């Protein structure tokens, strides 16, 4: 528990650090920061008042204080483009992002474990060579291009899946099942694209873990006690090799999220990433800043979760 | 070290090195030796991309420009981005890693928390934001990728320095009251070389990928200058009718990154004592 | 009970072949303790892993036979071999902490093993585990069943390893450097524990060590190994009172005697043990042998019987 508490305490300065970084970028960014925090419908006279309220005549460190207190009250500012509050816009997009990222994470793990296990166990076999080549290609292919290639193949050539979007407009009032089916159809290609890269790199790690664990003395000892290969592999090697994957997963979260943002954009998947990338084009700094803050906090929470999960499953940390 | 490399390389590394060498030679010599213009417009196929043929090996784009030639010019950008940005990130990473690892203690504790903050930000978004604040040109791309991707190297070097400075031979050097700077530079730093080389190889691949995303989003190399990323952006409108416009540049990116990863992986497995086959 | 004949084990490293065990023959009788002594890299552990067929993928037994209670172990199928492992032959290791899986409790690992070899319920297996732990002198056995390996000291881990192995009731226990990683006082405890358990469980022990002291205390018969070959074998009396092979002589003279007046200089061996990748010609010991003569670099001697022990050295003629 002590360890857990320490982790939580670590997260707080990290979040503050990220807000500081965001604040600095906002200061450097062109445009009047007042604009960002103000409802665009207020009149010009009120603007002066707002400036004073925001403390823009005060030293920069005080400004940061005001800004931070705004952030913690859920005021991430207003979009330059649509004038809507950034927090609402992003919150609105969160479900789509979560659907995509959680389902991809889940599927990546489900596929990685058996793939890496067998590949590591049958090291040097045809299957292992195949998995290794797949891993290397999966890590080298630019995700966004892979997405384009999938669209080219599955949508334009074979006409199997829609090229983009979340739900067909005609189905807005359809039954839940029809809707879910339609969303899944839209989900398939972006999901597949994200999975390729994720599976490629995780399998590589897991395979390596399995290989090094199969060389450990306790595996030899278990074999010497007459345990079957199946049992050794699926009980003893599986768990030991799976533990570091939790940490690696936590560490690769920023990459996975960055990757999925571009994918959301390519497939017009209405998540945070899509608004984020579109904000890049329209130079909508408040939205960009909000997206960075949001995703950073998600990443920190994910890391925290990974840490906690690790302490729960690894006896060496838990009990020492 | 070089001898060990020469004795243990694998076939895939030889092919990778050959591929990269040919690519680099083509990329840097073509503009010098020949007078092809990658931006020259073939009027006969203007407006309608031409499929691959003997005249244009990989076809042409919508303006009738030869895709192979543009890919070769794009390679120049990508290789340059890889080399320059990795040089920047390695320099920063090694410097900070050595200092924090050597000082250790509270300083190290605080500094590593700062590194954690940088690592928690989805780097791509940070890069995109900085790119739109700055002018989107190739030099900014290199600099921004460089200064946002030093954290991995820094942690690697720090961990290595932390463990090496506890080793007995360092204590022995201190006992001979050698200058700490000398100990650090001459006796500790060389030990971090192998992991840093591996990180550099993988980092180059990553930088090339990031550059392609930036150019694809219009925040990197600006047209009419060719880069693999902006060729892909250009291909979007012609996906159905001219798939080769998307296919070719992406293949170039993939193969280049693949080659760098292969080389990095080979260096790692040769130098990593844990990865070596145990004899008895 | 166990008869190893002309065993040859090689490892393939790159395109080179390493002869780790070369033409080794010996025998272990019922309830006998046989010791195998040699420097690190001499092929001791490979000999033990060859018996149980636990070689890594690049290792291969090229010839010879391992006869255990009338069965040739080398010709058994994987499934038949699994029955022998544990049930008949148990193996304990140099580093007991490494030999236990760190992420499962010792109770979990013991119960798993007991249930594998005996058809008993989980509860019965747990009881059996507790009684075994008590036999190897683990205090609070009931509660410590739920602990993980890293929560025990090394000496305790070795006791647990022994209990784990005994739970299968083997008739032969192979102990590969069981005390090398332990403190001297703990070493003595483990050795005497093994001695007691040998009587209680009526088993034979194949004790492997680089330490002649350990071997001297506890063995009925001793094999001396150098670079994959047995250079001398005999009873402790023969080996210690009248060692024949120059290597054995050097080993024995290098045992420190805790007596300040004892000043006989040890026979110092020249140089290091050569790499098994690059074996010397003729007798493998000749580059380091103080008594080497010209024939030694040409002829590789085999074991011959003398009045005392069996020895593989050209200084001795077959009777």
């Amino acid at each position: 528990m002590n360890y857990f508490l320490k982790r939580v305490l670590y997260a707080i300065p990290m979040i503050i650090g990220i807000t500081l970084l965001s604040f600095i970028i906002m200061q450097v960014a062109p445009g009047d920061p007042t604009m960002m925090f103000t409802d665009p419908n207020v009149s010009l006279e009120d603007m002066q008042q707002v400036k004073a309220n925001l403390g823009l005549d005060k030293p920069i460190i005080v400004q940061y204080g005001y800004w931070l207190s705004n952030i913690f009250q859920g005021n991430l500012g207003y979009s330059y483009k649509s004038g809507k509050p950034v927090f609402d816009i992003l919150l609105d997009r969160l479900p789509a992002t979560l659907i995509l990222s959680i389902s991809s994470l889940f599927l990546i793990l489900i596929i990685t474990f058996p793939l890496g296990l067998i590949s590591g166990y049958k090291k040097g076999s045809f299957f292992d060579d195949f998995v290794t080549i797949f891993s290397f290609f999966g890590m080298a292919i630019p995700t966004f291009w892979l997405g384009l290639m999938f669209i080219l193949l599955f949508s334009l050539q074979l006409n199997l899946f829609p090229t983009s979007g979340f739900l067909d407009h005609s189905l807005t009032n359809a039954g839940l099942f029809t809707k879910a089916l339609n969303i899944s159809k839209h989900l398939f290609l972006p999901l597949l694209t994200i999975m390729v890269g994720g599976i490629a790199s995780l399998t590589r790690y897991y395979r390596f873990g399995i290989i090094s664990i199969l060389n450990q003395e306790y595996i030899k000892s278990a074999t010497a006690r007459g345990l079957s290969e199946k049992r050794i592999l699926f009980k003893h090697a599986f768990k030991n090799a799976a533990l570091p994957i939790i940490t690696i997963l936590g560490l690769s979260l920023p990459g996975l999220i960055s990757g999925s943002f571009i994918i959301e954009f390519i497939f017009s998947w209405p998540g945070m990433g899509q608004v984020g990338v579109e904000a890049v084009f329209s130079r909508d700094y408040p939205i960009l800043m909000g997206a960075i803050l949001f995703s950073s906090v998600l990443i920190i929470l994910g890391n925290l979760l990974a840490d906690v999960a690790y302490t729960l499953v690894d006896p060496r940390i838990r009990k020492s | 070290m070089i001898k060990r490399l020469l004795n243990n390389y694998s076939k895939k590394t030889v092919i990778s090195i050959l591929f990269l060498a040919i690519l680099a030679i083509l990329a840097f010599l073509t503009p010098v030796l020949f007078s092809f213009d990658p931006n020259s417009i073939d009027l006969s196929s203007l407006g309608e991309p031409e499929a691959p043929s003997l005249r244009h090996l990989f076809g042409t784009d919508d303006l009738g420009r030869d895709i192979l030639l543009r890919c070769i010019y794009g390679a120049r950008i990508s290789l340059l981005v890889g080399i320059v940005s990795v040089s920047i990130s390695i320099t920063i990473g090694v410097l900070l890693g050595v200092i924090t690892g050597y000082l250790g203690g509270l300083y190290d504790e605080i500094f590593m928390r700062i590194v954690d903050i940088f690592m928690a930000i989805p780097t791509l978004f940070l890069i995109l934001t900085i790119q739109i604040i700055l002018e989107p040109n190739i030099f900014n791309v290199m600099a921004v990728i460089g200064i946002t991707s030093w954290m991995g190297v820094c942690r690697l070097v720090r961990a290595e320095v932390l463990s090496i400075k506890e080793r007995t031979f360092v204590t022995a050097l201190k006992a001979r009251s050698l200058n700490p700077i000398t100990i650090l530079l001459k006796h500790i730093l060389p030990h971090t070389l192998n992991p840093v080389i591996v990180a550099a190889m993988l980092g180059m691949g990553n930088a090339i990928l990031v550059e392609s995303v930036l150019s694809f989003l219009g925040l990197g190399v600006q047209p009419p200058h060719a880069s693999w990323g902006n060729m892909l952006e250009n291909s979007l409108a012609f996906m159905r009718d001219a798939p080769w416009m998307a296919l070719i540049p992406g293949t170039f990116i993939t193969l280049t990154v693949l080659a760098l990863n292969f080389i990095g992986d080979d260096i790692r497995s040769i130098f990593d004592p844990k990865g070596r086959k145990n004899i008895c | 009970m166990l008869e190893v004949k002309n065993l040859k084990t090689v490892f393939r490293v790159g395109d080179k072949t390493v002869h780790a065990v070369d033409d080794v023959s010996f025998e272990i009788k019922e309830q006998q303790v046989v010791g195998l002594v040699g420097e690190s890299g001499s092929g001791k552990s490979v000999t033990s892993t060859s018996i149980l067929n636990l070689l890594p993928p690049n290792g291969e037994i090229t010839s010879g036979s391992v006869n255990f209670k009338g069965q040739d172990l080398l010709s058994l199928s994987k499934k038949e071999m699994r029955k022998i492992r544990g049930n008949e032959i148990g193996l304990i290791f140099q580093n007991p902490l490494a030999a236990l899986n760190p992420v499962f409790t010792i109770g979990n690992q013991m119960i798993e093993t007991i249930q594998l070899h005996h058809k008993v319920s989980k509860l019965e297996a747990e009881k059996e585990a507790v009684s075994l732990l008590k036999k190897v002198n683990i205090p609070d056995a009931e509660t410590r069943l739920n602990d993980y390996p890293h929560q025990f000291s090394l000496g305790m881990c070795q006791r647990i390893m022994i209990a784990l192995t005994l739970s299968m009731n083997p008739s032969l226990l192979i102990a590969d450097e069981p005390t090398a990683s332990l403190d001297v006082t703990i070493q003595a405890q483990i050795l005497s524990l093994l001695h007691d358990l040998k009587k209680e469980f009526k088993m034979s022990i194949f004790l492997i060590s680089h330490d002649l002291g350990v071997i001297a205390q506890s063995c009925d018969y001793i094999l001396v190994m150098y670079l994959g070959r047995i250079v001398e074998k005999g009873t402790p009396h023969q080996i210690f009172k009248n060692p024949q092979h120059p290597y054995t002589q050097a080993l024995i003279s290098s045992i420190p005697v805790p007596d300040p007046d004892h000043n006989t200089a040890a026979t110092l061996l020249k140089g290091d043990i050569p790499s098994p990748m690059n074996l010397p010609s003729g007798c493998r010991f000749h580059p380091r042998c103080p008594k080497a003569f010209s024939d030694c670099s040409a002829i590789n001697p085999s074991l011959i019987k003398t009045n005392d022990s069996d020895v593989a050295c050209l200084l001795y003629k077959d009777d």
Side-chain angles (χ1 to χ4, degrees), chain C residues 191-224:
Chain C
L191 286 177
S192 90
L193 177 71
L194 279 178
H195 193 72
D196 296 344
L197 292 170
K198 176 209 147 197
K199 281 182 192 155
E200 191 183 335
F201 286 83
K202 298 195 170 49
M203 51 182 187
S204 312
I205 295 182
F206 185 35
L207 180 64
I208 297 169
S209 177
H210 67 281
D211 185 347
L212 258 184
V214 168
I215 296 278
Q217 281 173 42
S218 34
C219 295
D220 306 320
Y221 200 78
I222 296 174
L223 316 166
V224 181

Side-chain angles (χ1 to χ4, degrees), chain B residues 16-216:
Chain B
S16 300
I17 291 175
L18 272 177
F19 173 79
L20 290 178
I22 292 171
L23 193 66
I25 291 171
L26 280 177
F28 291 102
L29 288 188
T30 307
V32 184
L33 295 182
F34 305 102
S35 54
F36 299 132
D37 181 2
N39 303 327
S40 87
I41 293 167
D42 186 339
L43 288 171
S44 65
S45 58
L46 184 65
E48 193 149 313
E50 200 179 293
S53 65
L54 274 181
R55 207 160 84 93
H56 296 288
L57 214 51
F58 289 148
T60 67
D61 66 7
D62 53 314
L63 296 177
R65 299 175 295 191
D66 184 74
I67 291 198
L68 176 62
L69 194 61
R70 286 182 73 74
C71 275
I72 287 172
Y73 272 76
R76 202 166 53 150
I77 301 277
S78 289
L79 293 177
L80 223 75
V81 166
I83 292 167
V84 174
S85 59
V86 163
S87 307
I88 296 172
S89 67
I90 295 272
T91 310
I92 302 175
V94 169
L95 209 67
L96 294 177
V98 163
I99 294 172
T100 185
Y102 193 74
L103 293 178
L106 185 67
Y107 173 84
D108 177 57
E109 184 75 16
I110 293 171
F111 187 74
M112 288 325 282
R113 293 288 82 74
I114 296 177
V115 171
D116 282 346
I117 292 172
F118 278 96
M119 289 192 84
I121 298 175
T123 324
L124 189 64
F125 258 61
L126 193 62
I127 294 176
L128 288 177
T129 313
I130 300 177
Q131 273 303 104
I132 55 172
I133 293 174
L134 302 170
E135 187 103 346
N137 67 39
I138 186 66
F139 299 104
N140 284 337
V141 171
M142 295 181 206
V144 169
I145 295 176
I147 58 170
T148 48
S149 52
W150 50 272
M151 292 83 78
V153 177
C154 175
R155 282 171 79 137
L156 206 72
V157 170
R158 166 198 171 257
E160 205 78 5
V161 170
L162 271 182
S163 83
I164 291 167
K165 78 171 185 182
E166 298 304 328
R167 294 242 292 267
T168 321
F169 82 92
V170 176
T171 319
L173 289 172
K174 281 183 186 158
R176 300 200 322 248
S177 54
L178 253 73
N179 182 345
I181 303 287
T182 316
I183 297 179
L184 192 61
L185 294 183
K186 195 173 154 198
H187 299 280
I188 295 182
L189 200 58
H191 287 266
T192 64
L193 189 64
N194 296 336
V196 167
I197 292 175
V198 175
M201 287 294 161
L202 303 181
M204 258 192 253
N206 196 49
I208 290 174
L209 287 177
V210 173
E211 187 275 331
S212 71
V213 175
L214 287 179
S215 294
F216 175 73

